[in-house]
Amino acid sequence: MSTPVLTQFLNELLNGRLKMVDLTQTLSPEFPTIVLPPEFGQAWPFRIEEISRYDERGPAWYWNNFSMSEHTGTHFDAPAHWISGKDLPDNTVDSMPVENFIAAACVIDVSKEAAENADFLLTIDYVKAWEEKHGRIPERSWVLLRTDWSKRATPKEYLNMAEDGAHSPGPDAEVVPWLIRERNVHGFGTESVGTDAGQAHHLNPPYPCHYFMHGNNRYGLQCLTNLDQLPPQGALIFAAPLKIRNGSGSPLRVLALTPSA
Amino acid sequence: MTEPLLKPRKKNPVERTRLATRPPGARSRTALGLTRAAAEGRFELQVCADCGSVQYPPREVCGYCLSEHLAWKPVDNRGELIALSTLRHSNDLYFRERLPWRVGTVKMTAGPVVVAHIHEDCAAPEGTGVPVRLTLKLDRSGQAVLHALPAKDTPNMNDAAQMRESTCDPKFRRVLVTDGKSAMGLATARAMLDAGAATIFLGDPSSWKTVAAFDKLAADPRVQVVELDVTDTDSVDRVAASIGGKVEILVNTASHLRDGGILGRKDVILARDAMEVNVLGLMRLAQAFGPGMCFRAADGSNHAVAWVNVLSIHALAALPSRGAWSASMAAALSASQTLRAELRGAGVRVLNVFPGPIEEDWEQLTPPPKLAPAAVAKAIVKGLQDGIEDLYVGDIAEEIRERLRDNHKAVERELGQ
Ligand SMILES: [Zn+2]
């Protein structure tokens, strides 16, 4: 009985009433990777080397080797990424249920606030006010924070480092458990380099989005782009991480399906 | 007196770029003793252990008593120029392009009579000999040759064409400092400017990070910032495509230094990071910049001339408390020796720098003495001006090098304690 639904879906896609939006940043060596204090191990940035390009190394074919960490570029955070999620069932990218690769999305636009204050924190009150306008966040929905951070032109502006560390928006320590408890969300996604704010190490607990989301077997998406092309409600997200054994996360292609405006 | 070198005019773009030629390079194995001394900036000849006579040219047995006990030792470099001639014709491609060329005969205070290249500021002998100082330099083939210099320094003497041939003076040259944000990179850039470099291309491996000293240096009109991360092949290629034809001296200051041995970790990530920067970074730079530098190795008075690797004395002897890093230093030294062989064909010199510990963030817990980055940078400039190949900076580096010759096993045991 599901075949007519899929047929209808494909028709809607082909006739343009549905469109696909790519929420993925291009993987390139220049794209910034999260920076930890230098005494810690660092996530590898994206690096690429040509194996051959129709040349003496391989006359008829072009291919590359690349290297990067699980948390480079647009990527997925599995619960095992954080200590709070380390003992949960199915908490790695290879073991998580495949149904969870598809979920609805609510897009909360804080781009105006973020432009005025790089340290802007999303609060419960802000989300409640958003719900007044756009409706209650449905269960099992991604909450995506639109900050327009993906439009920042240079790594310097994107990471926004000062002497006291990075400055970028994120959720505060109260809204994350509230979203899980009261709205049973699927996960949290951002345009910046992490799901938490740049200064989130000063919050209590530090990195609340990582701590609570992963501690409750929820997911994270970061380094997203094109969130400005999604409606506040009504988009569907397809986000399937690579099947890395015991992987804590993975770079991936994040696609949104959304009604054409 | 030598005319001061003028800032070279802009090149005529429709003239063919002159390709590098080299002076005759073959030497006997014994004569390579001179090369070793010249490469490290010393003046040494063989001295007979039995009769004490100083030998020249290098030989297997003493020219006076036939003893086989000849040792390379520092000797008095003074002498008298007794005959001078100016070559105006030569069938050798290298010298043909550099005529007239002064050669002469010097009677050394230490005994031997030698044939040497004669600096243009040395007066011609008329009846009596003219006092001169001899120096051993590497020529463009990388082999040692004797140069006679005036007894006392003269103004602009390093600007003489003959001197420019066997040295790598930064004056009027354009220098790429690959990591300009490190303490060593900043100091190197400043020292090159002080030495008269025309342009510094200052590499920035982390544009997201603000470093006040870097920004200050970048404000100098002679400094041009280039985003360069030696771990990123695209980045290296992009910079080479943009400035590769202008780099006359490349100083690789990119460095990854972390503490830790081998057994104490569960992964090779730090080791791999060190190799990425210290070894593969060097190779990426070589592949991207080496061919262009070779092509420009005879291009005017400010032709491409030198490649500098800032290594560590621990390239020669591992420091087990930094085992992975030491391995990367040894690998970088090995790669640089290949690079030296590959660049020698064009006469581009590779200067390897072996400092002891330097005063910088990652050496915080290293007990003194530590070298100021400015002191190392100054030594690099002098090394280029002297045209040497191997530079040991500081007491610790000198001591380790001496002791490696004496008993390398003792060094190995002691560094491992
Ligand atoms: Zn003898």
Side-chain angles (χ1 to χ4, degrees):
Chain A
M1 278 315 286
S2 62
T3 308
V5 177
L6 290 179
T7 307
Q8 189 190 349
F9 161 73
L10 197 59
N11 282 338
E12 298 282 285
L13 198 61
L14 293 177
N15 68 25
R17 280 203 288 276
L18 280 179
K19 66 168 179 174
M20 290 185 86
V21 181
D22 190 352
L23 306 186
T24 322
Q25 294 274 9
T26 303
L27 284 168
S28 77
E30 301 83 60
F31 190 78
T33 306
I34 195 161
V35 181
L36 298 191
E39 58 272 21
F40 289 114
Q42 304 290 332
W44 284 346
F46 179 78
R47 292 290 184 261
I48 185 162
E49 308 265 351
E50 249 173 43
I51 306 171
S52 71
R53 193 164 193 158
Y54 332 117
D55 54 23
E56 72 282 5
R57 299 169 297 176
W61 52 95
Y62 164 55
W63 51 353
N64 299 299
N65 283 325
F66 65 82
S67 62
M68 63 179 140
S69 82
E70 291 174 336
H71 298 265
T72 298
T74 300
H75 66 276
F76 186 97
D77 282 358
H81 180 42
W82 217 250
I83 188 162
S84 52
K86 77 183 175 66
D87 297 320
L88 297 176
D90 304 331
N91 61 351
T92 51
V93 285
D94 55 329
S95 60
M96 58 180 281
V98 289
E99 306 81 66
N100 288 358
F101 296 161
I102 294 184
C106 292
V107 181
I108 301 181
D109 181 0
V110 300
S111 55
K112 195 165 150 285
E113 290 83 352
E116 283 159 14
N117 174 16
D119 293 317
F120 173 78
L121 293 177
L122 183 72
T123 60
I124 296 173
D125 286 346
Y126 196 100
V127 176
K128 284 181 173 166
W130 181 89
E131 287 187 328
E132 292 284 312
K133 264 173 95 174
H134 303 293
R136 187 181 164 98
I137 296 172
E139 290 217 357
R140 205 187 165 279
S141 178
W142 284 103
V143 174
L144 305 180
L145 191 65
R146 177 188 160 194
T147 54
D148 285 351
W149 223 249
S150 59
K151 295 178 183 171
R152 297 198 156 210
T154 65
K156 194 184 179 94
E157 291 165 307
Y158 184 80
L159 291 175
N160 204 24
M161 283 282 178
E163 278 187 8
D164 57 353
H167 292 267
S168 55
D172 78 3
E174 283 74 43
V175 73
V176 184
W178 183 87
L179 285 170
I180 298 165
R181 198 177 58 240
E182 305 292 331
R183 296 292 180 268
N184 195 20
V185 298
H186 189 66
F188 196 82
T190 59
E191 293 179 55
S192 46
V193 79
T195 52
D196 271 300
Q199 293 283 303
H201 49 291
H202 294 305
L203 300 178
N204 184 22
Y207 307 104
C209 197
H210 285 82
Y211 185 82
F212 290 119
M213 283 292 167
H214 300 329
N216 288 280
N217 227 343
R218 313 300 156 107
Y219 309 117
L221 282 170
Q222 44 250 295
C223 309
L224 296 170
T225 185
N226 292 331
L227 292 185
D228 57 349
Q229 295 181 35
L230 300 187
Q233 290 226 36
L236 204 65
I237 303 292
F238 180 73
L242 299 177
K243 198 168 183 175
I244 301 167
R245 185 171 63 184
N246 295 328
S248 74
S250 148
L252 78 175
R253 195 87 183 231
V254 182
L255 300 174
L257 287 160
T258 174
S260 299
Chain B
M1 288 298 131
T2 306
E3 289 290 323
L5 193 66
L6 297 176
K7 189 171 169 33
R9 280 207 307 245
K10 287 209 167 65
K11 183 176 159 181
N12 180 344
V14 295
E15 270 180 13
R16 179 182 185 235
T17 301
R18 211 171 58 154
L19 298 180
T21 51
R22 297 193 300 162
R27 295 289 189 282
S28 72
R29 187 171 291 177
T30 309
L32 289 174
L34 291 172
T35 302
R36 175 179 59 188
E40 298 187 357
R42 295 191 305 272
F43 188 79
E44 288 180 350
L45 294 178
Q46 287 166 299
V47 179
C48 176
D50 291 319
C51 75
S53 52
V54 176
Q55 320 282 318
Y56 190 87
R59 60 192 72 195
E60 301 290 335
V61 295
C62 174
Y64 302 89
C65 76
L66 300 181
S67 164
E68 291 174 5
H69 302 120
L70 302 179
W72 289 94
K73 287 191 171 157
V75 298
D76 187 343
N77 70 335
R78 288 172 301 169
E80 282 194 337
L81 176 62
I82 53 175
L84 171 71
S85 58
T86 301
L87 294 180
R88 296 187 190 282
H89 304 281
S90 174
N91 286 329
D92 182 274
L93 282 178
Y94 175 84
F95 286 108
R96 273 169 68 96
E97 294 182 332
R98 288 160 179 82
L99 297 170
W101 189 273
R102 291 175 17 130
V103 290
T105 309
V106 174
K107 170 89 179 74
M108 290 182 66
T109 310
V113 174
V114 304
V115 174
H117 302 307
I118 309 298
H119 193 281
E120 61 189 88
D121 290 349
C122 294
E126 289 169 21
T128 58
V130 173
V132 292
R133 287 170 295 168
L134 287 170
T135 177
L136 273 172
K137 295 280 185 209
L138 295 174
D139 68 11
R140 304 269 285 159
S141 287
Q143 297 295 12
V145 287
L146 284 165
H147 282 258
L149 308 178
K152 291 211 171 81
D153 284 355
T154 54
N156 317 312
M157 65 184 287
N158 288 334
D159 287 356
Q162 223 178 48
M163 296 299 287
R164 289 281 278 192
E165 280 303 307
S166 55
T167 60
C168 309
D169 202 320
K171 188 173 179 182
F172 296 138
R173 287 198 160 102
R174 294 170 288 188
V175 182
L176 169 61
V177 178
T178 58
D179 179 355
K181 259 184 176 158
S182 64
M184 204 47 241
L186 285 163
T188 301
R190 285 193 210 101
M192 292 292 167
L193 287 175
D194 290 347
T199 303
I200 304 291
F201 300 110
L202 196 60
D204 180 359
S206 49
S207 63
W208 48 270
K209 191 165 75 180
T210 305
V211 173
F214 180 89
D215 293 343
K216 190 170 165 229
L217 191 60
D220 188 303
R222 296 166 295 175
V223 174
Q224 191 180 321
V225 172
V226 290
E227 283 191 20
L228 176 59
D229 182 337
V230 301
T231 69
D232 172 5
T233 306
D234 286 0
S235 148
V236 175
D237 287 348
R238 217 163 31 234
V239 174
S242 132
I243 60 159
K246 299 177 181 174
V247 173
E248 285 130 7
I249 296 176
L250 186 151
V251 188
N252 186 15
T253 53
S255 157
H256 185 283
L257 167 61
R258 296 291 184 274
D259 285 330
I262 292 169
L263 294 189
R265 284 187 72 89
K266 290 196 275 187
D267 63 77
V268 293
I269 289 182
L270 279 187
R272 202 161 158 169
D273 288 348
M275 296 287 176
E276 270 295 334
V277 176
N278 299 337
V279 186
L280 303 180
L282 169 59
M283 292 187 189
R284 288 189 189 94
L285 289 166
Q287 289 172 355
F289 287 91
M293 288 179 74
C294 288
F295 179 70
R296 289 202 49 243
D299 188 14
S301 66
N302 59 332
H303 57 81
V305 74
W307 182 294
V308 184
N309 296 309
V310 183
L311 305 171
S312 158
I313 191 62
H314 293 295
L316 299 168
L319 186 63
S321 60
R322 287 185 191 146
W325 168 76
S326 295
S328 78
M329 281 292 115
L333 171 58
S334 178
S336 76
Q337 287 166 336
T338 294
L339 182 62
R340 182 177 279 154
E342 291 177 341
L343 293 180
R344 191 178 295 131
V348 174
R349 190 155 305 165
V350 172
L351 169 57
N352 283 336
V353 186
F354 304 98
I358 295 173
E359 192 79 64
E360 52 109 340
D361 287 351
W362 297 104
E363 298 272 17
Q364 185 212 341
L365 297 182
T366 307
K370 288 186 269 190
L371 294 158
V376 180
K378 220 169 140 182
I380 293 172
V381 167
K382 180 159 190 309
L384 288 168
Q385 288 166 338
D386 290 344
I388 65 173
E389 276 188 351
D390 292 316
L391 173 62
Y392 301 84
V393 194
D395 292 344
I396 290 179
E398 290 278 3
E399 192 201 327
I400 290 178
R401 161 196 175 222
E402 283 307 317
R403 296 191 47 234
L404 279 171
R405 277 188 197 156
D406 178 47
N407 182 350
H408 64 282
K409 297 304 287 184
V411 176
E412 186 182 304
R413 293 291 190 277
E414 286 170 30
L415 288 174
Q417 266 155 19

